[in-house]
Amino acid sequence: MKSGKIVMQAAIIEIDNNSKLLAYNNVAKALFPVNLLNLNQKFDYQNVFNLDAAFNLAQHDDAIIVLNSQFFLLQKVRESFKITFVLQPVEYLKRRLSKINVVGSHAFDIFAVQSQAMQKLIAQAKAFSVQREPLLITGETGTGKDLLASACHQYSPRGDKAFLGLNCAAMPDDVVESELYGHAAGAYPGAVESKKGFFEQANGGSVLLDGIDEMSFQMQTKLLRFINDGYFRRVGDDNEVYVDVRIICATKVDLAELVEQGKFRKDLYYRLNVLSLNLPSLKERKDDIEPLTHIFIDEFANKQGITPPKVSQDVIPYLTLYSWPGNVRQLKNVLYSALSQLTSSQLTVKDIVLPTITSTQVSWINDIENKTLDEMTKQFEKKILLQLYYNYPSSRKLAKRLGVSHTSIANKLRNYGINRIDD
């Protein structure tokens, strides 16, 4: 293979017409686990490249795929006796071909959108992404606000420009000011050279301010002035600088409440709250738990270079009835913990350890609208059985724990679809 700057940025894999691995370069070796690259062995590209089962690469010459939370352009070149796969990071291609936004309509593909709540959110996000006004993203811890901000940037006309993020939480004013606006030479002791801040570095692109609720009043005032006209001064400099940057703010708290408490500027709040996206908690999007589970299992398997385990039929109902106070991040961590200790080819309820649900985490009572007493009772009963089933994983053990007959518990487990009973 020819050497060169572009080639070194691409992972190249060659297989024969029987899918037997013929060759690969050093970039591919660094990108994939070694045990997936066995010369003269069958190369299962459908799984290795995380291609959807319904996607037939034989009918396509390219695809956008996600590996290790990064977008890649996968291209296929067919010759008479072999097939060559070329994978290039989309970010690299965007820098080389800045006149087009490579990710484009694929920016939101990383999200599970089985639930109506997420379908509505992504539709809003796409509409808001193409605007110039500031974007405010709210949501509980672990819902993925930073991922949504990045997707909105990628989908926007600014998608081929820089995207930078600063966490404002517990950060002193002088640090925030220097990071965002930069400083002139001599502005601080030891600052022998001038420094461009995030706003200058991301000129033409977007800047994410995470934890905007913890920004001081002084910094809020300076930010409001910048949002209004695009001008600012570096610390220690008298010259004004103009940049074209879209501001994206993220917070886990209710800014309106902070305004009422006098802890957040009212004028800045109304300036930021023009385009607002609220990421639903995981308990508000239970339909997404199944696709998220498979996404995380496939992601883990790809990193470890193993075949993804099968999922027992009672796992999804078990996960669905948990309240998930830590949201999507907690689901991912729970699954990764289970998978790292898995010794079989199937993931079962017994392999999953869920933190004990406290009284503040019980969410079933919020889902009782238009339900009869009998329906609510069964809903609560199913939740209790699923919660206890981990520690008492058989109908006999569970019956003894609850002080009822084995037959009664066996029937309830069967009726609720909790079918893995080891007696």
Side-chain angles (χ1 to χ4, degrees):
M1 298 177 184
K2 295 181 179 181
S3 62
K5 187 174 181 181
I6 295 181
V7 173
M8 291 305 293
Q9 294 291 337
I12 300 176
I13 298 173
E14 294 181 346
I15 63 174
D16 66 15
N17 291 327
N18 295 317
S19 296
K20 185 181 295 184
L21 184 62
L22 299 176
Y24 56 87
N25 68 351
N26 288 333
V27 180
K29 183 178 179 180
L31 183 61
F32 298 103
V34 176
N35 61 335
L36 293 182
L37 301 175
N38 297 313
L39 293 176
N40 298 317
Q41 300 294 319
K42 183 176 176 61
F43 182 73
D44 188 359
Y45 65 82
Q46 197 86 17
N47 285 326
V48 175
F49 297 150
N50 283 335
L51 293 172
D52 187 276
F55 184 89
N56 185 358
L57 195 61
Q59 300 175 0
H60 301 80
D61 290 328
D62 56 62
I64 296 292
I65 64 173
V66 179
L67 296 174
N68 300 328
S69 301
Q70 184 179 2
F71 286 102
F72 285 82
L73 173 64
L74 170 65
Q75 296 174 294
K76 179 195 69 176
V77 180
R78 177 178 288 278
E79 301 179 42
S80 58
F81 64 94
K82 70 176 181 179
I83 298 173
T84 300
F85 294 111
V86 180
L87 293 97
Q88 298 183 80
V90 167
E91 286 300 321
Y92 168 75
L93 291 174
K94 287 199 295 183
R95 290 194 297 269
R96 299 284 295 181
L97 305 170
S98 60
K99 60 185 178 181
I100 61 172
N101 181 0
V102 179
V103 174
S105 60
H106 297 281
F108 294 97
D109 288 358
I110 60 174
F111 294 95
V113 291
Q114 190 70 29
S115 67
Q116 290 186 356
M118 282 301 291
Q119 291 172 15
K120 180 179 179 181
L121 173 73
I122 297 304
Q124 286 181 314
K126 288 181 177 180
F128 292 171
S129 294
V130 298
Q131 306 301 319
R132 299 176 58 89
E133 292 297 315
L135 184 62
L136 178 62
I137 299 177
T138 61
E140 296 178 4
T141 298
T143 50
K145 297 184 289 295
D146 55 340
L147 292 177
L148 182 61
S150 177
C152 287
H153 165 75
Q154 292 172 7
Y155 190 82
S156 76
R158 303 169 182 267
D160 59 339
K161 304 297 182 182
F163 174 74
L164 300 177
L166 180 69
N167 191 329
C168 305
M171 193 174 287
D173 280 4
D174 56 343
V175 176
V176 172
E177 190 170 22
S178 177
E179 289 295 319
L180 291 181
Y181 304 100
H183 61 253
Y188 303 107
V192 295
E193 296 181 350
S194 62
K195 170 193 170 184
K196 288 184 177 181
F198 278 23
F199 290 148
E200 280 188 88
Q201 295 176 47
N203 190 16
S206 308
V207 171
L208 168 65
L209 301 178
D210 199 3
I212 187 67
D213 51 285
E214 298 203 31
M215 182 176 279
S216 72
F217 260 77
Q218 181 181 350
M219 289 297 100
Q220 289 177 35
T221 301
K222 190 163 186 176
L223 176 62
L224 178 63
R225 189 179 304 125
F226 170 68
I227 290 175
N228 284 335
D229 59 23
Y231 286 92
F232 66 91
R233 291 187 179 91
R234 294 181 184 174
V235 178
D237 197 342
D238 294 329
N239 298 318
E240 285 196 326
V241 178
Y242 174 81
V243 294
D244 174 23
V245 169
R246 190 185 194 185
I247 302 297
I248 303 177
C249 295
T251 177
K252 62 183 178 181
V253 303
D254 188 344
L255 291 184
E257 287 188 10
L258 293 186
V259 170
E260 291 297 319
Q261 297 168 11
K263 297 179 179 179
F264 198 85
R265 288 189 60 123
K266 181 182 293 186
D267 47 4
L268 178 59
Y269 169 68
Y270 286 119
R271 189 70 179 85
L272 295 177
N273 199 36
V274 177
L275 303 176
S276 180
L277 297 171
N278 180 253
L279 261 167
S281 63
L282 191 52
K283 63 176 174 284
E284 296 175 293
R285 44 179 299 210
K286 290 292 185 74
D287 289 344
D288 292 325
I289 288 179
E290 182 171 6
L292 283 170
T293 297
H294 292 292
I295 287 172
F296 295 143
I297 289 176
D298 290 343
E299 182 179 294
F300 178 87
N302 180 67
K303 287 181 178 179
Q304 299 300 317
I306 61 176
T307 301
K310 295 181 180 179
V311 180
S312 176
Q313 61 182 346
D314 57 349
V315 165
I316 300 303
Y318 181 66
L319 296 177
T320 300
L321 287 178
Y322 187 68
S323 62
W324 299 109
N327 293 295
V328 177
R329 184 187 300 152
Q330 184 186 16
L331 173 63
K332 181 176 181 178
N333 291 341
V334 164
L335 289 171
Y336 266 44
S337 177
L339 293 168
S340 65
Q341 304 173 70
L342 194 63
T343 57
S344 69
S345 61
Q346 184 178 48
L347 180 69
T348 70
V349 168
K350 291 182 180 181
D351 302 310
I352 300 171
V353 178
L354 296 177
T356 302
I357 300 178
T358 66
S359 59
T360 58
Q361 295 173 338
V362 175
S363 61
W364 70 273
I365 200 163
N366 296 320
D367 186 27
I368 61 176
E369 187 176 356
N370 298 323
K371 285 186 170 65
T372 65
L373 179 60
D374 183 57
E375 290 171 334
M376 287 185 282
T377 302
K378 289 180 179 178
Q379 178 178 312
F380 179 64
E381 184 177 61
K382 181 178 180 181
K383 189 173 187 68
I384 292 297
L385 291 174
L386 277 169
Q387 181 64 24
L388 291 175
Y389 188 70
Y390 170 75
N391 293 318
Y392 305 91
S394 77
S395 56
R396 295 187 185 280
K397 292 177 181 178
L398 194 53
K400 184 176 180 180
R401 164 62 180 83
L402 295 173
V404 296
S405 71
H406 162 253
T407 302
S408 174
I409 287 297
N411 289 335
K412 289 181 183 296
L413 291 175
R414 189 176 301 106
N415 291 337
Y416 290 134
I418 309 172
N419 297 319
R420 184 175 171 79
I421 305 172
D422 298 328
D423 290 319

